[in-house]
Amino acid sequence: MQTHILGYPRIGSNRELKKACEQYWTGKIDVNDLLEVGKTITQNNWKLQQEVGIDLIPCNDFSYYDQVLDMTLTVGAIPERYQEIAFKKSETDLYFAMARGFQKEGLDITAMEMTKWFDTNYHYIVPEFQKNQEFTLFSNKIIKEFINAKQAGINAKPVIIGLLTYLLLGKEKEEGFDKLDLAQNLLPVYIQILKELENHGAEYIQFDEPFLALDLNEKAKETYQFIYAEIRKQFPKLKFIVTTYFEGLKDNLSLATSLPIDVLHIDLVRCPEQLDEVLKTIPETLSLSLGIVDGRNIWKNDFQKSLHFIEKAVQRIGSERIFIAPSCSLLHAPFDLDSEKNEDILSPEIKQWMAFAKQKVYEIVDLKKLASENPDYNALQALAENKKAIENRKTSTLIHNQDVKNRVDVTTEEDAQRNSPFTIRKQTQQEVLKLPLFPTTTIGSFPQTKEVRNWRAKFKKRELNAEQYDTLLKQETERTIRWQEEIGIDVLVHGEFERNDMVEYFGEQLAGFAFTQNGWVQSYGSRCVKPPVIFGDVHRPNPMTVYWSKYAQSLTQKWVKGMLTGPVTILQWSFVRDDQPRSLTCKQIALAIRDEVNDLEKVGIRIIQIDEPAIREGLPLRKSDWQNYLKWAVEAFRISASGVEDATQIHTHMCYSEFNDIIQNIADMDADVITIECSRSQMELLNAFADFKYPNEIGPGVYDIHSPRVPSKEEMVELLKKAQAVIPAQQLWVNPDCGLKTRHWDETEKALIAMVEASREASEEFLKKEKLKY
Ligand code: GLN
Ligand code: ZN
């Protein structure tokens, strides 16, 4: 039996890589300093795994920005527009230019696109492909890392994105070909890499092929067979590990087990039920890597449960053919639980239930020891401690709240239903709210200036007391309300100055949430996020936003929109408990948000927005699982929104997403108004709503808040015309794409003034046309 790690976090225990990259980008350190930081992190990662006793230690799992971009550079898939940089600059600068764009020295080259890595919150740089594209071995990073590991005394296992997965992650940049057609051209480069690695003494190679666990068409399946057969032919001696994760093999099981490889890795956290089927069908020549330690979450492994899996596998195929591993790369787990030292932030009782990347390495090794004939004393000690922690978590009063469980049990379909259908609500809302045609609003946040962030920092450090902090925020809120009144916005917002982050702000006030000091996980490039931890039954002990909404509403005769984050988004952007289904946790959050919505209504807030920017990214990887997810996700939103009277208008907001395939579900959310990100696609996104005849009101974003550029009134009038071509004017709202928190005030002022003018002009033109009709 052997242990191995699929990949280790590379940001460093104190986010050293983030800091070094950002310093390098601003010219504060040179390339050697940067490379030195990278080297130290890698060496530390190796050393840890070596000391703990991992048998196969990965290399090339390190990356300065993204492992897919590394592969792009390795195989020389460098888009045309970077030719000049490739010619003039170092490999490192070319690499970062591809990741981040290059606006210097008279050049203005856009970055490559970025998108989510499967269903994680990690984002990779999307490879760009042309018809008949040629590949060459451009960067020898993989070889260098292998040699570095060797010098550190490790015969490492190079981690390489599988050829098929690499192609499937990319995007065809011209028409008339299929990216899979490029497999033939790409293969020689893979062979060259493998030759060099073999010459340097590599024994094991890990190919990451998560696509093997996703829906594949016939052509992809055939290409898998072809490519791996070719690779095997060339390398009879190398041992190939193919990893799958984030899903079960399901209908691709026979394909996966028929590949001429040596070890197949399966994810038993995401899909434990696949073990039996795999054990039944696995050929004798194939070893099995059991992904039993959750690489995506922060919970301690349940040793007894895992040992049961291992025993089953041992009985069936023998321990020599078994590898023990985390479910996927540990990239998605925070670095080290030992750095959580502040008991006021993370209580010892909750902390004992958790394991970060470093602790997971220990778990893997402990599991191997415990699965052996004669586990040593330390291993048995670890088992006893593990049992205790697992038992404590199962029964802890911190987690279990009978009232919450009871409330979920008595929640009915009716609770997810507004009193009347939209057509009736619309009339009532018109009578009460008296909004004009093309009403203007914003998505919620106003600029979080340096001062605002400074106040919060000082308040946290106790340099400002609660009263001082409150006064400053009130002043900022009042200024924002006055300014919106002045320029003539119809539905105002309070500005969200009191919030650090749209999930954390709510998590901090909900029961069942914990926070970490250092639980950072890479999101993209140097960006890291620190997700809250949902550890227990969720409820809302006290109102969360009523104070600020009520205050803002007291300042003005106009409507102020209440501003909440929706249950699915809170779930999606947190570490979620693994002792009950996600859908159940989501329902608990939904009920807590519902309480808040109802309380806002009670104090006279008649327009309430429940943001759900993450609803689409929660979609399962296999299409057959979509409807089940959408059913509970939509229901959760509706539970949160349906406790109010007809006259109270519920808004929701979603960031840029393809709505075509889920438009029915979006409509099922039954929000009175939905605001969406639309301006970058020039309103194309609206077609989905138009074709579907989306019945409720829509605010397609009329300008892009992701750029400092100030849009002109004319542009926005133009976009509103485009919108009216497909959606009736009476259904349209006018608003920016998303929240304004990352923008500066001067840009915001100019843009919103123009936006209000655009709405007025659109409205005048519309009324003129209407008159002409009669
Ligand atoms: N209300 C939030 C804001 O304006 C919405 C943010 C989001 O969509 N991600 O900041
Ligand atoms: Zn948004």
Side-chain angles (χ1 to χ4, degrees), residues 315-575:
Q315 266 169 22
R316 206 76 212 198
I317 65 173
S319 61
E320 316 77 57
R321 281 169 65 201
I322 290 174
F323 288 69
I324 300 183
S327 59
C328 59
S329 167
L330 297 174
L331 174 67
H332 311 290
F335 216 84
D336 183 3
L337 188 64
D338 292 342
S339 58
E340 298 298 322
K341 294 202 161 59
N342 189 338
E343 298 190 354
D344 294 333
I345 297 182
L346 187 64
S347 82
E349 180 164 4
I350 297 173
K351 188 176 162 186
Q352 66 165 327
W353 305 330
M354 294 163 72
F356 290 1
K358 183 174 136 195
Q359 287 69 35
K360 288 173 194 285
V361 172
Y362 281 92
E363 289 184 340
I364 300 282
V365 173
D366 281 339
L367 282 169
K368 172 179 160 176
K369 288 185 189 157
L370 289 166
S372 71
E373 304 262 302
N374 294 308
D376 63 19
Y377 174 79
N378 288 342
L380 291 172
Q381 194 67 22
L383 177 62
E385 270 168 33
N386 181 273
K387 263 189 201 162
K388 220 169 85 192
I390 299 294
E391 197 46 43
N392 176 289
R393 184 172 165 216
K394 266 189 197 139
T395 52
S396 170
T397 50
L398 284 183
I399 294 185
H400 302 282
N401 180 321
Q402 199 51 46
D403 291 342
V404 176
K405 296 186 205 293
N406 293 346
R407 187 166 176 210
V408 167
D409 285 344
V410 300
T411 303
T412 62
E413 239 162 72
E414 222 167 89
D415 297 317
Q417 201 71 255
R418 295 286 297 268
N419 294 338
S420 312
F422 174 72
T423 40
I424 296 177
R425 299 199 305 266
K426 180 166 171 126
Q427 277 172 16
T428 319
Q429 287 166 19
Q430 252 161 6
E431 282 155 25
V432 175
L433 301 174
K434 301 194 171 54
L435 293 171
L437 203 57
F438 300 108
T440 50
T441 191
T442 62
I443 305 306
S445 57
F446 266 76
Q448 288 254 339
T449 56
K450 262 204 192 107
E451 292 83 69
V452 174
R453 277 179 282 143
N454 216 347
W455 300 336
R456 185 156 43 246
K458 281 191 171 161
F459 174 55
K460 278 203 171 150
K461 281 190 266 172
R462 310 219 171 133
E463 289 167 27
L464 284 177
N465 67 30
E467 203 185 312
Q468 289 166 323
Y469 180 54
D470 189 74
T471 307
L472 289 166
L473 291 179
K474 275 190 168 156
Q475 284 166 358
E476 192 74 3
T477 306
E478 172 156 18
R479 239 199 316 271
T480 306
I481 292 282
R482 294 284 166 254
W483 185 79
Q484 293 172 83
E485 278 182 321
E486 202 176 294
I487 70 159
I489 298 223
D490 299 307
V491 174
L492 315 190
V493 296
H494 75 282
E496 300 181 21
F497 303 111
E498 76 287 8
R499 302 183 190 179
N500 37 0
D501 170 278
M502 64 185 291
V503 171
E504 197 170 65
Y505 182 74
F506 290 92
E508 278 171 349
Q509 303 186 70
L510 290 167
F513 280 74
F515 294 85
T516 63
Q517 213 174 350
N518 249 313
W520 296 101
V521 180
Q522 194 173 11
S523 167
Y524 65 91
S526 67
R527 290 284 192 110
C528 302
V529 292
K530 191 155 65 69
V533 177
I534 306 179
F535 67 86
D537 288 334
V538 176
H539 66 103
R540 187 202 65 148
N542 295 298
M544 304 183 283
T545 65
V546 170
Y547 178 80
W548 287 108
S549 286
K550 197 172 153 187
Y551 169 69
Q553 185 66 78
S554 76
L555 300 169
T556 174
Q557 297 301 311
K558 290 207 165 173
W559 297 113
V560 177
K561 184 160 63 165
M563 205 54 62
L564 305 172
T565 303
V568 184
T569 300
I570 292 180
L571 182 86
Q572 202 59 33
W573 291 351
S574 302
F575 284 118

